[in-house]
Amino acid sequence: MILRVFRYIPFTIEQDQTAEPEYEARCVAGDESECGAESGTQSGPGPVEEWQRKHTQETGHRHYRRNFGDYAVMRPPAELAEPVEADGGTA
Ligand SMILES: [Zn+2]
């Protein structure tokens, strides 16, 4: 058995502002096999809900699976994020 010891670094976890969150829905209506219609990936919940309303109006289907995904960034503590130059320079 191999034991590895890691030094604990208190990263904070933030949403990655450079990547858009992803919203989507899939119609799961149906008994034997589900409908499977998809909203496609959207950058906000609005267009997904709009698609659901339209799909329900057209088909009568009323059950959906919704997916939300976003990206996260691990931020090290400030002192590690911005290492201070050891060299003081000439003054
Ligand atoms: Zn459907």
Side-chain angles (χ1 to χ4, degrees):
M1 182 172 144
I2 300 169
L3 264 182
R4 301 179 73 184
V5 178
F6 292 94
R7 189 166 70 90
Y8 179 76
I9 300 172
F11 285 96
T12 57
I13 303 175
E14 298 172 4
Q15 187 178 57
D16 187 347
Q17 300 299 326
T18 66
E20 284 193 334
E22 297 170 353
Y23 297 79
E24 59 190 345
R26 186 183 79 239
C27 179
V28 296
D31 294 326
E32 296 294 302
S33 59
E34 64 185 35
C35 166
E38 295 176 336
S39 67
T41 303
Q42 310 292 335
S43 58
V48 174
E49 290 177 4
E50 205 51 46
W51 175 84
Q52 284 179 241
R53 289 182 214 286
K54 192 158 166 279
H55 186 71
T56 294
Q57 218 163 4
E58 289 170 351
T59 63
H61 295 165
R62 290 166 63 173
H63 293 90
Y64 297 87
R65 174 180 165 82
R66 301 196 294 184
N67 283 323
F68 168 74
D70 67 354
Y71 295 83
V73 189
M74 305 298 288
R75 293 239 183 270
E79 66 269 24
L80 292 178
E82 294 172 33
V84 178
E85 283 289 327
D87 183 85
T90 54

